[in-house]
Amino acid sequence: MITKIAITDDHQMVLKGIETMLSETQEINIVGLYNSGSQTLDNIKSDNPDILLLDINLPDINGIDLCKQLKATNKNLKIIAISNYDEVSFIKRMLNNGADGYLLKNTERLELLSAFKAVLNDEQYLQRDIEKKLLSQSIGKKTSNSLLVKLTRREKEVLEAIAEELTTQEISEKLFISPKTVETHRMNIMSKLGAKNSVGIIKTAMENGLL
């Protein structure tokens, strides 16, 4: 039986890398390579994959929101997040919004195939490192990062700009970085603070003495 796979990632090297990794597996057919959320929404029904590998950090739509949207309209579609983010808050939000699995981009071919098999059997699949992080938090262990919120210099600059109610474009122009880099910093700040939106970022930052 052939399993149809689609991949959403805004980095062409990632798309081609995964495609090449899976090309020698006869049971796998790559039916779609998408470089944005909108392209995914435009093509997902016609391509009709069994599994979508979905990056979280996309240029137009937050991958977490996209996952929820896709699940609402494609009940049989299995979605596996594939990301560089290993923060527990991102993982939980992705899973809570319907993802069937979560992998880091350093995953190897055999693990990808194991993940495919699991989700097609209606099982959840988490990379071992991800599983350890979730387990560690659930039994009350605190990592060194969770004892004290530590932001990089650039993250602090973005945080201060968010507090000034600047838009992504305005922050981009102020700090001379791309809008996508601003969003990456915003997601990292949200993850570190455990916030869900800009209001939560400011509230938690103030509670932690960061503003």
Side-chain angles (χ1 to χ4, degrees):
M1 183 177 174
I2 301 296
T3 300
K4 294 180 291 182
I5 304 293
I7 311 162
T8 299
D9 196 293
D10 62 327
H11 291 94
Q12 194 67 20
M13 285 181 63
V14 174
L15 289 175
K16 289 299 182 183
I18 297 175
E19 182 182 35
T20 301
M21 189 190 300
L22 296 173
S23 63
E24 296 180 4
T25 305
Q26 294 182 348
E27 298 82 14
I28 298 294
N29 181 22
I30 306 293
V31 296
L33 298 175
Y34 318 129
N35 55 32
S36 67
S38 57
Q39 193 176 40
T40 304
L41 291 169
D42 289 343
N43 293 280
I44 198 81
K45 284 195 174 180
S46 58
D47 291 337
N48 193 30
D50 300 303
I51 299 171
L52 172 67
L53 290 173
L54 177 60
D55 188 18
I56 291 179
N57 191 20
L58 298 172
D60 54 349
I61 303 174
N62 183 303
I64 297 170
D65 295 332
L66 179 60
C67 179
K68 184 177 182 179
Q69 193 173 341
L70 288 169
K71 278 292 191 174
T73 55
N74 302 270
K75 301 294 184 184
N76 295 323
L77 176 65
K78 303 296 184 182
I79 297 178
I80 299 175
I82 185 159
S83 175
N84 287 321
Y85 296 111
D86 64 352
E87 298 288 343
V88 169
S89 61
F90 281 125
I91 301 164
K92 285 186 173 181
R93 288 174 63 204
M94 199 67 182
L95 296 176
N96 288 339
N97 279 283
D100 301 279
Y102 199 108
L103 297 169
L104 298 176
K105 287 187 179 178
N106 63 4
T107 190
E108 296 181 353
R109 176 176 165 275
L110 288 178
E111 182 153 43
L112 267 177
L113 297 178
S114 296
F116 295 162
K117 183 177 179 181
V119 300
L120 289 174
N121 286 327
D122 295 323
E123 300 169 8
Q124 188 179 78
Y125 189 91
L126 301 176
Q127 194 166 335
R128 184 171 294 179
D129 290 345
I130 297 298
E131 209 167 24
K132 284 180 181 178
K133 274 184 172 287
L134 291 176
L135 180 61
S136 175
Q137 189 187 72
S138 69
I139 60 177
K141 290 182 180 176
K142 290 188 177 291
T143 63
S144 57
N145 287 337
S146 66
L147 295 174
L148 180 66
V149 177
K150 293 181 180 178
L151 301 181
T152 66
R153 179 184 60 81
R154 184 62 88 186
E155 285 168 355
K156 287 178 182 176
E157 291 174 348
V158 172
L159 173 61
E160 289 167 1
I162 292 171
E164 293 171 13
E165 299 186 6
L166 299 183
T167 65
T168 296
Q169 186 61 42
E170 288 170 338
I171 297 172
S172 167
E173 292 169 0
K174 179 179 180 177
L175 301 180
F176 304 103
I177 55 178
S178 71
K180 186 178 178 196
T181 300
V182 173
E183 285 304 308
T184 298
H185 286 310
R186 187 192 297 271
M187 290 184 75
N188 286 337
I189 294 167
M190 285 171 61
S191 175
K192 289 180 179 182
L193 297 180
K196 295 181 179 179
N197 50 40
S198 293
V199 174
I201 286 175
I202 295 169
K203 180 175 180 288
T204 309
M206 291 179 69
E207 290 172 352
N208 283 272
L210 297 171
L211 283 174

